[in-house]
Amino acid sequence: MPVEEWQPTQSTTADVRAWLVSLLDGGVTPRTARRKLSSLRSYYKYLLRLGMTTVDITRGVIAPKMQKPLPVFFKEEEMNRAEEQMEWSDDYESMRDSLIIEMLYETGMRRAEMLGLKDDDVDLRQHQVRVFGKRRKERIVPFGERLTAMIERYLSCREETFGVRNNGEQDVSLAFFLNSKGKPLTESQLYKIVRDRMGEVSTLKKHSPHVLRHTFATTMLNNGADINTIKDLLGHASLAATQVYTHTTFEQLKEVYQKSHPRAMKD
């Protein structure tokens, strides 16, 4: 029915469904289609209140599903460039910042989890870190020899910079990462460190601790790790939250295929 002849009391639920299909076929995004449907629902509620109609034709119409954006992640060559730029100097902040990037990449910790780290959460003998995730759920994440060496170097520099506590004995309840004033690192400070460091090596629009978490999961999956193992390392409550990385990997494989296979190449 042409728009100029449309009468709300003469339309049906089938008309609404057909309208939504025409919107999507015409290139309208699911988000926009959902918003338009929401406006139509409000209009019919208004008509019902006024008594101008007795039927809400939008009732029972299912809104188009919105596609969840795939996680973005840093490429392996970008992480290699970040590693090359890590300055092994005696400057406390440079050493701390390098460790933050590497620890996020090697463990997949969340930003809040890293900020909550205490000295006694890091076990250098066992090469593992104890992480307290959402709802204080505890998990253990292993790490490699390289990160162990970086942590030892950082702790030594931190002690030289800020001293020791409790009559010469290290206070194990001390926040693991400190700012230049010896206070626990803040959320904004951590974000700035990652943004500045990764912004030098990556063309992604977003540079955040969470992108490094995505990078950890994608790297593990691309190198043969089991999806359930990745789930446990990330601290996900359900496998559904982890499976999004399988879609990311598939998209990456599809892109490589389209660029490499002669039958798939575009002119």
Side-chain angles (χ1 to χ4, degrees):
M1 174 182 304
V3 174
E4 60 271 12
E5 299 178 9
W6 180 74
Q7 295 294 328
T9 57
Q10 297 177 6
S11 299
T12 65
T13 299
D15 292 330
V16 178
R17 293 195 178 103
W19 169 64
L20 285 175
V21 170
S22 67
L23 288 176
L24 296 172
D25 287 345
V28 170
T29 65
R31 181 185 296 275
T32 300
R34 289 172 69 95
R35 188 174 66 247
K36 290 180 179 292
L37 178 60
S38 177
S39 298
L40 188 62
R41 291 190 200 279
S42 298
Y43 178 59
Y44 268 88
K45 287 180 181 178
Y46 172 72
L47 294 178
L48 286 168
R49 285 200 305 269
L50 295 182
M52 297 179 63
T53 185
T54 58
V55 179
D56 180 2
I57 64 172
T58 67
R59 189 173 184 179
V61 176
I62 300 175
K65 289 185 178 181
M66 289 176 55
Q67 291 183 342
K68 293 184 178 180
L70 294 175
V72 295
F73 57 92
F74 298 116
K75 297 179 180 178
E76 185 175 353
E77 56 265 30
E78 292 173 332
M79 294 308 304
N80 290 337
R81 287 200 298 270
E83 180 183 359
E84 292 170 1
Q85 291 187 7
M86 290 178 180
E87 299 177 2
W88 287 82
S89 67
D90 292 330
D91 174 54
Y92 168 75
E93 290 189 44
S94 296
M95 197 175 302
R96 178 204 61 199
D97 296 354
S98 296
L99 177 59
I100 284 173
I101 299 298
E102 190 65 21
M103 185 175 281
L104 287 170
Y105 178 47
E106 282 202 35
T107 66
M109 278 191 285
R110 298 180 178 93
R111 176 171 49 191
E113 292 169 348
M114 173 165 278
L115 292 173
L117 276 183
K118 306 295 183 184
D119 279 15
D120 60 344
D121 293 327
V122 181
D123 188 338
L124 294 177
R125 288 187 177 183
Q126 298 296 324
H127 308 292
Q128 62 189 30
V129 58
R130 178 176 58 185
V131 180
F132 292 95
K134 295 181 178 179
R135 295 177 292 278
R136 296 294 295 172
K137 185 178 179 181
E138 179 181 335
R139 70 182 188 278
I140 302 296
V141 181
F143 52 78
E145 294 285 350
R146 183 177 185 278
L147 187 58
T148 300
M150 292 182 70
I151 292 173
E152 289 175 339
R153 186 175 173 84
Y154 163 75
L155 290 175
S156 177
C157 183
R158 192 191 69 182
E159 183 175 327
E160 291 176 6
T161 305
F162 300 110
V164 294
R165 298 170 57 173
N166 288 354
N167 299 320
E169 295 183 4
Q170 189 68 49
D171 182 1
V172 295
S173 66
L174 181 70
F176 189 79
F177 286 109
L178 305 179
N179 60 24
S180 59
K181 296 181 180 179
K183 302 293 184 181
L185 202 66
T186 66
E187 184 174 339
S188 60
Q189 289 169 339
L190 176 60
Y191 185 89
K192 185 178 186 302
I193 289 168
V194 176
R195 183 191 63 195
D196 293 348
R197 280 297 187 98
M198 296 309 299
E200 296 175 359
V201 299
S202 173
T203 58
L204 287 179
K205 292 182 179 180
K206 187 176 182 180
H207 309 97
S208 70
H210 213 69
V211 177
L212 281 167
R213 178 171 163 86
H214 293 326
T215 305
F216 163 81
T218 304
T219 300
M220 292 285 290
L221 189 63
N222 285 343
N223 284 279
D226 178 76
I227 189 71
N228 285 292
T229 300
I230 298 173
K231 165 185 169 294
D232 293 339
L233 290 173
L234 289 173
H236 284 161
S238 68
L239 190 60
T242 315
Q243 286 175 332
V244 66
Y245 296 106
T246 63
H247 299 305
T248 301
T249 302
F250 176 74
E251 289 299 318
Q252 188 180 36
L253 290 174
K254 186 168 66 174
E255 181 181 351
V256 172
Y257 171 80
Q258 290 175 341
K259 289 181 179 178
S260 305
H261 198 285
R263 291 289 188 269
M265 290 180 181
K266 297 180 180 179
D267 295 334

